[in-house]
Amino acid sequence: FLVGFNFGSREAAQLAALDTGCNLLWVQCKLDRGGNRTFYRNYWPAESSTYSVNVRCVDFYSSTPLTCIPTPTLCWYLLKYLGEVIVRGNPAFERFIFGSSFDNQPAHELNPLFGCTRKNSYTDKFNRVLGFGPSGISLASQLDSSEFSYCIEN
């Protein structure tokens, strides 16, 4: 199932695969060089005034099974699917808007922690995942609500 949302200060439309087994909301980020290899335009942090990398590894990984690699300038993560590392990137905060241009419902704006993926072994299969897993970094957990539900339409 795919979930639509707008992303960043430029409100770029995105579609992400809903994954209840993954804890991280991540999108494919464009590198400083190179072209886009995906159907939807890759997110480019340099184009957004609401992008923030003010994340410490210890804060990001305290409630998740992700692997942390601290460096002097950024915190990096490794995400495994079925035991194989396929996603690498840096955690950041960005503006997300749900329910605005996709279904004409009132917009819900958030500034959640997400994964800005720089390397993805399966770019040809998927390049955005909306993680609804049980850890503290999943989108459902970041909503800071005691109750959460979602409806999947066919």
Side-chain angles (χ1 to χ4, degrees):
F1 292 98
L2 299 176
V3 177
F5 55 89
N6 290 337
F7 187 60
S9 61
R10 301 181 87 171
E11 297 189 16
Q14 305 287 314
L15 277 178
L18 176 66
D19 186 350
T20 58
C22 178
N23 293 302
L24 183 64
L25 162 61
W26 63 267
V27 300
Q28 186 69 41
C29 290
K30 183 177 178 181
L31 300 175
D32 292 336
R33 298 183 197 114
N36 295 330
R37 299 187 307 162
T38 60
F39 179 74
Y40 276 85
R41 185 171 176 262
N42 287 345
Y43 168 68
W44 193 355
E47 293 179 340
S48 178
S49 64
T50 53
Y51 175 79
S52 170
V53 292
N54 189 17
V55 179
R56 297 180 325 152
C57 271
V58 66
D59 296 336
F60 181 67
Y61 297 102
S62 62
S63 62
T64 180
L66 298 174
T67 302
C68 172
I69 305 170
T71 67
T73 56
L74 283 177
C75 172
W76 293 92
Y77 64 83
L78 302 176
L79 179 59
K80 296 180 180 182
Y81 284 91
L82 301 174
E84 180 183 347
V85 175
I86 64 159
V87 177
R88 299 168 195 230
N90 66 280
F93 292 97
E94 181 56 281
R95 181 175 176 234
F96 283 73
I97 301 170
F98 293 90
S100 56
S101 66
F102 288 97
D103 57 9
N104 294 321
Q105 296 295 316
H108 302 283
E109 186 172 331
L110 305 169
N111 191 34
L113 181 71
F114 81 104
C116 188
T117 297
R118 306 298 181 147
K119 184 171 182 171
N120 176 359
S121 300
Y122 292 110
T123 301
D124 59 331
K125 295 183 179 24
F126 57 92
N127 53 28
R128 288 158 186 79
V129 169
L130 182 58
F132 270 36
S135 87
I137 63 165
S138 74
L139 182 63
S141 297
Q142 291 187 64
L143 293 174
D144 196 29
S145 176
S146 61
E147 297 178 354
F148 179 80
S149 66
Y150 55 91
C151 179
I152 300 174
E153 293 182 21
N154 191 357

